[in-house]
């Protein structure tokens, strides 16, 4: 039986340090891999998300990016957008001096901006897609689902907010409460009942620098996510709506995520206050870590 070999890379996203941040598998030349096999590959690698780079279907985009968790395809996700952008630039598909381009994702064209960051490394920003606000959820039910007490909550009502991937945002009083939270299958069922739909659970505490965060998505095959770029724009929008971000702090702040699971991630957030939620950018650094090859029988790859 003949076979085909596909190159892939693994990069750590939202960190300047290898073995921290959020892992991403990237297949930079994925033409010839069908949808079902993409899903099987994502399950095989079994990291938060894997992307497959294909020719763009939109004239204003440089590449089409398909994003898969181990369990399903995603219409948009933040660390796959930032990590795939880095790989495309690192491999010369996008010239390294490029400062603006767009990626073709299921949710639409995602604008990407690149600036020179610390030590000359690229700091890659994406513009968050349109943010939607859903229902508010019962605080007591949300607290119980996360294994914390209602008295641990900050005061802002838990609410579903999303930019392609809806999450219930639950504000708590401090970092210790964030670290105590957990969502198992029973808690997920309770949260689903509170929300009325399947959602991520995003727990955070406001800090002087921005937020200290954790995100749980067991129904997506991700027990806990070290960094969730798609939820960070909605996090900023939620914090703006409930007065948890002061304008005096400036237009940039951070969300620190993944520290509890020893995959510390720093997600940079920039807001144009005059444009509000229409201009929230999420950015981060990328650290390359693995280069490999995967060989698939033609029967599977076709």
């Amino acid at each position: 039986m003949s076979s085909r070999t596909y190159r892939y890379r693994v990069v750590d996203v939202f960190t300047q340090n290898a073995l921290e941040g959020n892992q991403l598998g990237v297949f930079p030349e994925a033409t010839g891999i069908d949808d079902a096999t993409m899903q099987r590959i994502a399950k095989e690698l079994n990291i938060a998300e894997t992307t497959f780079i294909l020719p763009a279907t939109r004239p204003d985009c440089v590449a089409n990016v398909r994003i898969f968790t181990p369990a399903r395809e995603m219409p948009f996700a933040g660390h796959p957008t930032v990590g795939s952008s880095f790989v495309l630039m690192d491999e010369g598909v996008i010239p390294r001096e490029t400062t603006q381009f767009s990626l073709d994702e299921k949710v639409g064209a995602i604008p990407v901006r690149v600036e020179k960051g610390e030590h000359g490394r690229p700091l890659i920003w994406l513009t968050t897609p349109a943010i939607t606000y859903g229902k508010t959820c019962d605080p007591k039910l949300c607290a119980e689902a996360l294994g914390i007490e209602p008295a641990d909550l900050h005061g802002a009502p838990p609410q579903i907010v999303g930019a392609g991937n809806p999450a219930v945002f639950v504000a708590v009083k401090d970092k210790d409460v964030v670290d105590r939270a957990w969502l198992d299958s029973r808690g997920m069922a309770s949260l689903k009942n509170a929300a009325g739909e399947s959602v991520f659970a995003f727990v955070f505490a406001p800090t002087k620098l921005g937020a200290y965060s954790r995100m749980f998505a067991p129904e997506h095959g991700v027990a806990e996510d070290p960094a969730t770029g798609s939820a960070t724009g909605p996090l900023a929008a939620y914090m703006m709506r409930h007065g948890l971000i002061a304008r005096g702090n400036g237009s940039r702040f951070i969300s620190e995520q993944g520290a509890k699971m020893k995959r510390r991630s720093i997600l940079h957030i920039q807001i144009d206050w005059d444009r509000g939620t229409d201009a929230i950018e999420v950015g981060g650094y990328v650290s390359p870590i693995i280069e490999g090859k995967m060989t698939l029988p033609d029967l599977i790859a076709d």
Side-chain angles (χ1 to χ4, degrees), residues 137-148 153 158 168 170 190-191 194-195:
C137 303
D138 184 281
K140 183 178 179 182
L141 285 177
C142 290
E144 289 177 352
L146 292 162
I148 57 178
L153 301 183
V168 174
V170 182
S190 298
L191 186 66

Side-chain angles (χ1 to χ4, degrees), residues 2-280:
S2 61
S3 61
R4 299 184 196 178
T5 297
Y6 295 90
R7 289 191 307 112
Y8 72 94
R9 299 179 62 174
V10 177
V11 295
D12 291 335
V13 184
F14 294 122
T15 181
Q16 297 189 63
N17 304 313
L19 307 180
E20 294 184 4
N22 202 355
Q23 298 164 296
L24 176 72
V26 182
F27 284 74
E29 299 164 342
T31 300
I33 307 177
D34 63 44
D35 295 7
T37 304
M38 289 180 186
Q39 184 62 76
R40 292 174 67 182
I41 290 171
K43 187 175 181 180
E44 177 76 15
L45 292 181
N46 200 34
I47 55 181
E49 278 140 332
T50 300
T51 63
F52 299 87
I53 310 298
L54 301 163
T57 63
R58 302 171 188 270
D60 57 341
C61 295
V62 296
N64 179 19
V65 179
R66 302 281 299 277
I67 304 167
F68 290 80
T69 74
R72 65 185 68 184
E73 183 171 10
M74 305 294 288
F76 162 71
H79 97 275
T81 299
V82 171
S84 296
S85 296
F86 174 87
V87 170
L88 286 166
M89 296 181 71
D90 193 53
E91 299 209 345
V93 177
I94 299 172
R96 295 190 182 190
E97 65 273 14
T98 302
T99 58
Q100 291 186 323
F101 55 89
S102 293
L103 295 181
D104 180 4
E105 299 184 15
K106 287 281 188 180
V107 77
I110 303 298
V112 175
R113 179 174 63 84
V114 184
E115 67 178 51
K116 184 176 289 187
E118 295 179 15
H119 310 298
R121 298 180 65 166
L123 178 58
I124 301 173
W125 298 86
L126 64 87
T127 298
T128 299
I131 293 171
T132 58
Y133 296 91
K135 63 179 287 189
T136 56
C137 303
D138 184 281
K140 183 178 179 182
L141 285 177
C142 290
E144 289 177 352
L146 292 162
I148 57 178
E149 299 296 326
D152 291 325
L153 301 183
H154 187 278
Q159 184 175 12
I160 299 173
V161 187
N165 304 314
V168 174
F169 286 85
V170 182
V172 300
K173 290 181 177 178
D174 55 44
K175 290 183 177 183
D176 289 339
V177 178
V178 176
D179 283 344
R180 283 195 280 112
W182 185 250
L183 188 68
D184 57 17
S185 57
R186 184 175 179 179
M188 186 69 240
S190 298
L191 186 66
K192 198 171 182 179
N193 181 54
E197 60 181 295
S198 178
V199 291
F200 301 157
F202 198 100
V203 187
F204 74 96
T207 67
K208 290 182 179 180
L209 296 178
Y212 178 82
S213 310
R214 294 176 74 189
M215 197 285 281
F216 308 104
E219 289 199 343
H220 291 257
V222 182
E224 181 174 356
D225 196 26
T228 316
S230 64
T232 300
L235 166 68
Y238 177 90
M239 294 180 76
M240 290 169 66
R241 172 170 280 202
H242 294 288
L244 302 178
I245 302 171
R247 287 175 181 260
N249 289 344
S251 61
R252 289 193 182 187
F253 51 98
I254 66 168
S255 173
E256 179 184 354
Q257 190 179 334
K260 173 68 174 179
M261 58 189 302
K262 303 189 186 306
R263 298 283 314 190
R264 184 172 183 263
S265 305
I266 299 296
L267 296 91
H268 298 260
I269 304 164
Q270 178 163 301
I271 298 175
D272 180 342
W273 286 94
D274 292 335
R275 293 171 58 195
T277 58
D278 290 332
I280 296 177

